Amino acid sequence: MAELSGVGEMWRHKRVLTASLVGTAVEFYDFYIYATAASLIFPALFFPSSSPTAQLMASYGSLALAFFARPLGAAVFGHYGDRVGRKVTLVTSLMLMGGCTLAIGFLPTHAQIGWWAPLILCLLRFGQGLGLGGEWGGAALLAVENAPPGWRARFGMFPQLGAPVGFIAANGLFLILGTILTEEEFFAWGWRLPFLGSAVLVFLGLWVRLKLTETPEFAAAQAEAPPPAMPLASLFKHHLGAAIAGTFAVVACFAIYYIATAFALGYGTTTLNIDRSDFLSIQLGAILFMALSILIAGWWADKTSPTRVLAWGCVGTVFMGLIFGPMMGAGTLLPIFLILSLALFLMGFVYGPLGAYLPALFPIQLRYTGASFAFNLGGILGGALAPIVATWLIAVQGVEFVGLYMSAAAAISLAGLWWTSRR
């Protein structure tokens, strides 16, 4: 019986880890195809203006909208995730995200319906942010609340692996389409296919998640005491310091990611005039270093602590930011590939352990709200403005200052980590 019980536990863990990875991969795929399109497609099709720079900044503005929606999604989905349960909330967030992504694939352009096109695009982008705001915290809890003793960081890294998996799927599809289609076909209808293809991935994610049961830790907490009537109010009243520190702790990962992906893609293909397929190819190679470092960080965090791994990742980012701008400004593929690989490798260390770090800051019945709120509010500080500020910095100061943005973000995250370690 013990052997059968062990086999059953192994299969349960496999289902949980698969669900947390597949679900976040689908959500991040949806989120990243927008980031890629915002750099390559949307400026010309949805934001007509007098200059390419103004178009690009307007498109990045629509990209930023989702970051401002994510804390609202964290509050709404966190409320139900802490009161009703992790499973049903995760399913709902996935459907919202997928529905908005699918609708973008059918959206007429500015040339067809005028100013309604960017308005509807921004509303759908806001809906994407609401969905993702409820996704990450639930997926992290699904993993870590099912983890055996001593395995929380390694289980918690599986939702984090959804980021590079989703990125590879998104940019890989754009790369394939850009190769097999002419430029006219790609801009006329080819760019819509990644958005329409999201429907298949969402179905896959739902199929996996609907087979899950509630996490043991949450079920035990529900049996012991009723959930708080207003989780967000309880969070602000009793755990505001932890929420603020957690918010600061995640700033670095967002700044690194959206400068090394969305900003770099726009800068490389417009300012540096590098071929779109070539740049997408080097980004796909660089993202593999992020996946590798997430795996290393999960193991390291279980052997030491998530806080220590995050701190070392931030220290490395401070120094990396000093050389990021000059290497990007070199304008050739090899130095750009090397610096993007280094940036995304370091991101694995400031991102991978978050699945174990953030939930540990809050009690079980406030974890969904607390972890989601901190993660997504940090996204505003680190990610929402990163491509916009970076594009502005190039215009007024030069690309050298872009890396300093990441260094400053890492310093902010170090401050948040220091505060929680003192507690």
Side-chain angles (χ1 to χ4, degrees):
M1 291 296 291
E3 183 179 349
L4 289 177
S5 176
V7 173
E9 190 74 2
M10 180 184 68
W11 279 108
R12 185 176 70 85
H13 286 159
K14 286 185 176 180
R15 285 197 301 269
V16 165
L17 295 179
T18 300
S20 63
L21 172 59
V22 171
T24 53
V26 172
E27 295 271 7
F28 281 112
Y29 167 86
D30 286 0
F31 209 70
Y32 295 157
I33 56 174
Y34 192 100
T36 302
S39 299
L40 298 178
I41 310 298
F42 292 163
L45 295 186
F46 289 95
F47 300 98
S49 183
S50 57
S51 73
T53 299
Q55 285 181 320
L56 189 59
M57 291 190 70
S59 184
Y60 284 154
S62 72
L63 177 69
L65 269 179
F67 288 97
F68 292 96
R70 284 168 69 160
L72 178 59
V76 173
F77 287 105
H79 175 88
Y80 291 103
D82 282 327
R83 287 186 55 82
V84 179
R86 309 336 190 186
K87 174 183 172 179
V88 65
T89 309
L90 279 169
V91 169
T92 306
S93 69
L94 184 63
M95 292 178 65
L96 173 61
M97 182 79 174
C100 290
T101 304
L102 182 63
I104 291 174
F106 291 103
L107 183 62
T109 64
H110 183 274
Q112 295 170 313
I113 59 172
W115 63 269
W116 282 103
L119 175 61
I120 298 172
L121 179 68
C122 289
L123 290 175
L124 292 173
R125 178 60 176 169
F126 193 84
Q128 279 190 319
L130 283 177
L132 191 56
E135 163 62 29
W136 181 87
L141 294 183
L142 179 67
V144 299
E145 290 184 352
N146 279 286
W151 284 75
R152 292 180 81 86
R154 277 169 286 185
F155 271 51
M157 77 182 181
F158 274 83
Q160 311 303 74
L161 285 171
V165 170
F167 180 90
I168 291 170
N171 274 21
L173 185 52
F174 271 109
L175 178 61
I176 292 171
L177 291 172
T179 302
I180 64 177
L181 300 178
T182 66
E183 192 77 1
E184 292 75 19
E185 291 172 333
F186 184 71
F187 273 83
W189 54 267
W191 67 269
R192 299 181 183 273
L193 297 181
F195 291 90
L196 300 177
S198 173
V200 177
L201 299 178
V202 169
F203 177 80
L204 175 62
L206 290 174
W207 178 74
V208 173
R209 285 186 170 175
L210 288 172
K211 293 177 175 291
L212 296 175
T213 58
E214 197 52 77
T215 69
E217 288 187 17
F218 178 78
Q222 290 286 80
E224 182 178 335
M230 294 295 293
L232 187 62
S234 298
L235 177 73
F236 287 163
K237 183 176 181 180
H238 301 293
H239 302 278
L240 181 59
I244 293 174
T247 297
F248 287 167
V250 305
V251 168
C253 76
F254 281 100
I256 296 171
Y257 186 82
Y258 282 95
I259 287 180
T261 56
F263 159 76
L265 181 60
Y267 176 74
T269 55
T270 56
T271 304
L272 300 179
N273 294 315
I274 296 174
D275 180 75
R276 180 178 66 236
S277 295
D278 290 341
F279 208 96
L280 286 172
S281 296
I282 65 171
Q283 283 191 319
L284 285 171
I287 203 72
L288 296 177
F289 289 89
M290 176 182 163
L292 173 63
S293 59
I294 288 174
L295 294 172
I296 297 172
W299 174 85
W300 187 11
D302 273 333
K303 298 302 179 184
T304 55
S305 73
T307 303
R308 176 173 296 185
V309 179
L310 290 166
W312 277 112
C314 288
V315 171
T317 300
V318 170
F319 290 101
M320 180 274 297
L322 301 178
I323 62 172
F324 183 87
M327 292 190 72
M328 283 293 298
T332 54
L333 292 180
L334 180 58
I336 291 175
F337 171 72
L338 292 176
I339 194 60
L340 292 182
S341 298
L342 176 59
L344 291 169
F345 183 76
L346 288 170
M347 184 190 162
F349 294 103
V350 298
Y351 179 65
L354 289 177
Y357 169 79
L358 286 178
L361 300 180
F362 309 100
I364 293 174
Q365 290 191 326
L366 291 176
R367 276 182 185 166
Y368 205 128
T369 300
S372 298
F373 190 81
F375 183 77
N376 291 296
L377 191 59
I380 294 179
L381 301 178
L385 302 179
I388 300 173
V389 172
T391 302
W392 175 79
L393 283 172
I394 289 174
V396 299
Q397 296 291 344
V399 71
E400 293 79 10
F401 281 79
V402 174
L404 300 182
Y405 183 95
M406 289 188 286
S407 297
I412 292 173
S413 289
L414 276 174
L417 293 167
W418 175 84
W419 190 92
T420 56
S421 67
R422 296 288 295 175
R423 285 174 61 87

